[in-house]
Every structure is written in structure tokens, then in C-alpha cells.
Amino acid sequence: MAQRFHKMHGLGNDFVIIDARHGGAPMEAARARAIADRRTGIGCDQLIVLEPSDVADVRMRIWNADGTEVESCGNATRCVVLLEGRGLTIETLGGVLTGRLDGDGASIDMGHPRFGWEDIPLAYAMDTAAMPVGWEDLQAPFAVNVGNPHVVFFVEDADAVDLARLGPQIETDPLFPERVNVNVASREGGALRLRVWERGAGLTQACGTGACATAVAAIRKGLVQSPVEVRLPGGALTIDWAPDRPIHMSGPAVHVFSGELVE
């Protein structure tokens, strides 16, 4: 049976979006991996499936390219808002998000960050604002959950870090029982330069939740002021946050093409 899909991206972080609100083949890890494969499938960083929701306008389920289902994806959320062409609420495993159209993209209320060690989660208790751990030159990260788990390292030059090598080591460290997204950031005036190793997807052109996590960490540490521009390899996002307020993320989203998936 053919199933319609949309190929979209947010700053180069690309998605295959399937609308299953009116039926369709069930998604599983092996099928998600096959669709995400860039040589033998459609190809994407994450596969998105839209389903009916009892608590929001739509339910968004997210599979990484390795077939793992994850809680949240900021760039995909903007794409869904653009695809629907209206403001809406979106149920995710990480909570209910609210989005609205904003220029050539969308603005998303990403909810409140969580800082407790058990919220990340970590394997044991420690200070999440300056974790007493490190991997080679990457030391004392800041940990935060923004719908999914992140660690943020502030360095002199984010582009100089061998993230392709260190990222998977940190992602799969036993300290992180649910694995973790790895961010390396450096200041550029009042902005942030960011590269992200995404859990289950590897190096990507952009990561919306990574931008949120890094901005929150930098604001809490007094490195930048809100709102802050976060510059990723694929482009820039604007993150606005203050304590006791939800995170607001704004940035572009692009519809690339539509097609039919025949299996």
C-alpha cells in the first residue's frame, strides 16, 4: 500500500514526515531504519509520524536514523507547523509543545527545561551545572533535559573539536542510561556557535533541542543574554528563555518535496 510522505528540513536537519492520522502501516524500528537509509531508502536524520492525539491537535512520534524512538525534536516541530499551515499544539513523548507560523518558519514553545540529575537522567547524583566528569579536553559539561537529554560543553573553538570521534563515546557512556545528545559551543560576541552530535543520528546540520539546551546553559552561566542567536552549521535559530519561563525557539523550516512510499 502506498503511503504519502513529505521531505522537509530545518536548517539542513532533514525529516521524512508521514501523516498516519487516517491509517497506514505501523511504524517499527526496522522500518524506520529502512526509510531513513540514505542509500536504499528515502534518507533522513529523523522519521516523523503524525497520529491522532487526545490531548493536542496532533501527536508527533520521532524515530532517529538508527531506529530508536525519541522524545522531542525542535526542528521537526517547526516543520510540522509549516506543513499544517497553522498554529497548533503537538503531543510528543517529551510533552505537549505549542507552535505558530513565523515568517518562513515557525516559533515553538518548547516547555520548561529540567536540571535535576534524575531528570536528565544520569546514572547517579551529581551537580548538573558543572558535572565533575570529562572526556579528553571536553570537561565539566552542563546537563539539561529540554524534552530530551543534553550535555553542553563550552569551549574556545567549537569547530576544532573532533566531535565525530568523541560524540559517540559520550553518547553511549554508562553515565547516561538513556544515552545523551552532545553539544559543543563557543561564544561569538553575544551569539553562540554550536555543533551537535545527536543521539541515534550522529552529526547533523542543526539540532533544535540542542540549540535550546545550549542557550539555556549559557544564559544560566551568565555567558550570554536572552534572546540569543545560536549559529549551527545549517543556519541560525533564536532562543528566548528566562528562569521560570518556557523556552521559545524561532527559525526557518522548508518543504522539499512530497512522494509516495511503496512497500
Side-chain angles (χ1 to χ4, degrees):
M1 180 181 71
Q3 193 167 22
R4 190 165 178 80
F5 72 87
H6 303 276
K7 183 68 181 288
M8 302 187 73
H9 76 86
L11 302 181
N13 183 196
D14 63 334
F15 313 100
V16 170
I17 302 178
I18 297 173
D19 190 342
R21 284 175 285 187
H22 303 290
M27 190 55 62
E28 58 180 5
R31 184 168 180 246
R33 285 195 301 270
I35 294 170
D37 192 292
R38 296 190 184 276
R39 292 182 175 84
T40 58
I42 301 169
C44 59
D45 292 322
Q46 281 91 19
L47 172 71
I48 308 300
V49 178
L50 304 181
E51 298 178 345
S53 172
D54 294 328
V55 298
D57 294 315
V58 65
R59 181 187 186 201
M60 178 176 75
R61 298 181 66 188
I62 308 154
W63 280 266
N64 281 334
D66 69 352
T68 54
E69 188 173 1
V70 295
E71 303 91 341
S72 188
C73 180
N75 287 326
T77 306
R78 295 201 315 280
C79 288
V80 170
V81 172
L82 184 69
L83 184 64
E84 290 288 291
R86 61 188 177 96
L88 73 165
T89 55
I90 302 171
E91 177 190 359
T92 73
L93 291 176
V96 176
L97 309 179
T98 303
R100 61 178 177 82
L101 293 172
D102 184 8
D104 60 353
S107 179
I108 309 295
D109 178 341
M110 296 290 292
H112 292 267
R114 293 179 291 158
F115 304 103
W117 70 270
E118 67 280 7
D119 296 321
I120 306 304
L122 302 177
Y124 48 88
M126 67 175 67
D127 178 9
T128 59
M131 296 170 59
V133 296
W135 294 263
E136 298 182 14
D137 292 336
L138 296 180
Q139 298 289 320
F142 188 110
V144 57
N145 189 310
V146 291
N148 54 10
H150 287 263
V151 287
V152 182
F153 298 89
F154 291 101
V155 298
E156 286 296 318
D157 183 2
D159 292 329
V161 176
D162 189 357
L163 196 54
R165 181 176 61 84
L166 291 172
Q169 295 179 28
I170 301 169
E171 175 196 350
T172 58
D173 192 286
L175 178 59
F176 308 106
E178 296 181 9
R179 299 191 292 169
V180 75
N181 298 283
V182 184
N183 305 265
V184 292
S186 49
R187 282 190 294 177
E188 290 186 340
L192 295 168
R193 169 70 61 187
L194 174 64
R195 295 171 63 223
V196 184
W197 176 272
E198 287 199 54
R199 177 185 58 167
L203 287 172
T204 56
Q205 289 294 297
C207 177
T209 58
C212 291
T214 301
V216 165
I219 292 165
R220 280 201 73 177
K221 291 172 74 70
L223 301 178
V224 296
Q225 293 184 332
S226 181
V228 59
E229 182 181 75
V230 182
R231 300 166 182 168
L232 297 120
L237 296 171
T238 299
I239 310 299
D240 187 8
W241 177 76
D244 301 321
R245 283 178 43 202
I247 307 165
H248 290 277
M249 173 191 63
S250 301
V254 177
H255 186 279
V256 184
F257 63 87
S258 298
E260 288 190 341
L261 179 65
V262 180
E263 297 177 279

